[in-house]
Amino acid sequence: MNIFRRLFNVGKAEANSAIDKMENPIKMTEQGIKDIKNDLTEAMEGLAQVKAMLIRSTNDKTQFETKAKDYQNKAMLILQKAGKGELTAENADRLATEALVKKEENTEHVNRCTIEVTNFSKSVSQLETNVNSLRNNISKWENELKTLKARVKVSKATKNLNKQMAAIDSSSTVNMLEKMKEKVSEEEALAEAYGDIANESKSIDEELDKALGSKKTSAASNLEELKKQMGL
Amino acid sequence: MGIFDFLKKKEPERHFDPTNITIRDLGKGYIFEYAIETWTVTALFEYDWGDDYFTREFVIKNGTTEKFLHLEDDGGLVVTLSEKIKLRKLGETVCDYIDENQKPPKKIDFEGTRYFLDEKSPGFCKELDASEWEELISYDYLDEDEQKTLCIEQYGEDEFEVTKGIIISELAVSNILPVADTY
């Protein structure tokens, strides 16, 4: 394999991988079902057309049968009239023959329509089976998709919940609380450090005064002296 | 699915779900089954009763018989299957009353059933493709059980059309098959 073909294959693989990532399986399945529904509609329209042809052929057959019977009756009436002497035998034969020819034509139409009705009935039956099968499959797939969508939602929610429980999600509340705790600890440590620094920055006199408590001592001795002077 | 599928000509959107076509989706040329017979919708009429309230009526044929399927959606769907009858069949009393009053009576006895006037509705009617609306007054009667119907439509002063029918369940109409728009 030459280097260009390999490069091309690598590019193709990467492109397919990128497209795979872009594809949302739920949306793809929904689109797939929508496409099959369009096919089902077309199949149903086809079935409607064949059914319409079946209805037309059945109606035609009935009409031709009626006409054939009508011509048969007419031929019989003419012969009866000839029998009664109302028509000449020659004329009656001619008219009766014409009527029988017409009857025969209509009988042929009846035969043709009978074949059509049989064929259309077979087609209707076959198409109906296919349409029903497709319709049932679509309903089944739609129900499966609904279940799968619900399962995806549940699994997503469970995954998020478990992440929170395990506190491994960087954006979780637990993590934020931990960060907050750290921040508070830092602030407390900082405050303590400032306090220590403040203690360390006192002058040596202040420290001595503090150690001896001299101000308080002198004030107390002064009070004793004043009391003595006043004879108290 | 190919990557360039979006370049294909877009299929026209259908107004129905092919896995569940209902009586509400019926259109001209549609085929359906009712009472073990196959019927074809041959025409579609629209009624305007004012205040944006419309009803539809389908003319249906099963080869030899012509009937009317009337759909009224007033909160719930009411489906009436009816057939035309001659005014004179309502009897001399009714015909005389109409002649004298230019309107039908409040009660009609017909074929052993007593019908009561349920509502009198003035409105307009036209075939779906037609442009002109025709004014009418519809007198709708129901029997005591509200299952049998009688409808007298008055066009102008002295033209009356009568239909008798029954109220059916919308589920009684089944196996509805659509036809393509181009069909």
Side-chain angles (χ1 to χ4, degrees), chain A residues 4 19 33-34 40 43 66 79 96 101 105 131 151 165 226:
Chain A
F4 294 111
I19 290 166
I33 289 176
K34 210 173 166 186
L40 173 64
T66 312
L79 291 177
V101 168
E105 276 174 16
V131 162
R151 279 173 64 186
M165 299 283 279
L226 186 63

Side-chain angles (χ1 to χ4, degrees), chain A residues 75-143:
Chain A
M76 284 163 75
L77 280 171
I78 284 165
L79 291 177
Q80 278 170 3
K81 278 194 172 187
K84 286 176 194 169
E86 290 173 19
L87 275 173
T88 59
E90 196 182 315
N91 208 14
D93 281 356
R94 185 182 60 81
L95 286 171
T97 310
E98 286 291 332
L100 288 174
V101 168
K102 289 273 184 194
K103 182 212 154 188
E104 202 51 43
E105 276 174 16
N106 282 291
T107 308
E108 275 172 27
H109 286 310
V110 170
N111 294 338
R112 179 180 50 80
C113 288
T114 308
I115 295 166
E116 276 180 9
V117 167
T118 313
N119 290 340
F120 288 141
S121 295
K122 268 185 199 164
S123 301
V124 164
S125 175
Q126 201 176 350
L127 277 168
E128 265 177 347
T129 311
N130 294 344
V131 162
N132 286 337
S133 165
L134 193 54
R135 194 189 281 141
N136 290 341
N137 278 338
I138 290 172
S139 296
K140 196 175 78 183
W141 294 331
E142 273 186 326
N143 285 333

Side-chain angles (χ1 to χ4, degrees), chain A residues 134-190:
Chain A
L134 193 54
R135 194 189 281 141
N136 290 341
N137 278 338
I138 290 172
S139 296
K140 196 175 78 183
W141 294 331
E142 273 186 326
N143 285 333
E144 274 180 21
L145 183 62
K146 268 183 206 165
T147 313
L148 283 172
K149 274 160 99 174
R151 279 173 64 186
V152 166
K153 269 193 181 173
V154 169
S155 64
K156 264 188 187 170
T158 312
K159 188 179 80 185
N160 288 339
L161 200 65
N162 287 344
K163 258 188 185 175
Q164 302 283 357
M165 299 283 279
I168 53 167
D169 185 2
S170 61
S171 64
S172 71
T173 312
V174 176
N175 204 40
M176 273 158 56
L177 273 173
E178 288 300 322
K179 276 187 181 168
M180 187 78 184
K181 271 185 196 170
E182 273 175 33
K183 187 91 179 164
V184 169
S185 299
E186 270 176 28
E187 291 288 328
E188 282 172 352
L190 201 60

Side-chain angles (χ1 to χ4, degrees), chain B residues 7-23:
Chain B
L7 293 174
K8 280 184 186 170
K9 200 180 166 189
K10 209 182 167 193
E11 290 272 332
E13 287 287 326
R14 267 90 176 189
H15 68 281
F16 54 79
D17 176 358
T19 56
N20 184 30
I21 303 184
T22 68
I23 196 168

Side-chain angles (χ1 to χ4, degrees), chain B residues 5 39 64 67 74 88 94-96 138 149 157 161 176 178:
Chain B
D5 276 5
W39 298 80
T64 48
K67 291 197 177 190
D74 189 12
R88 64 172 181 274
V94 176
C95 290
D96 289 346
S138 179
T149 65
E157 275 188 10
E161 281 182 9
I176 300 170

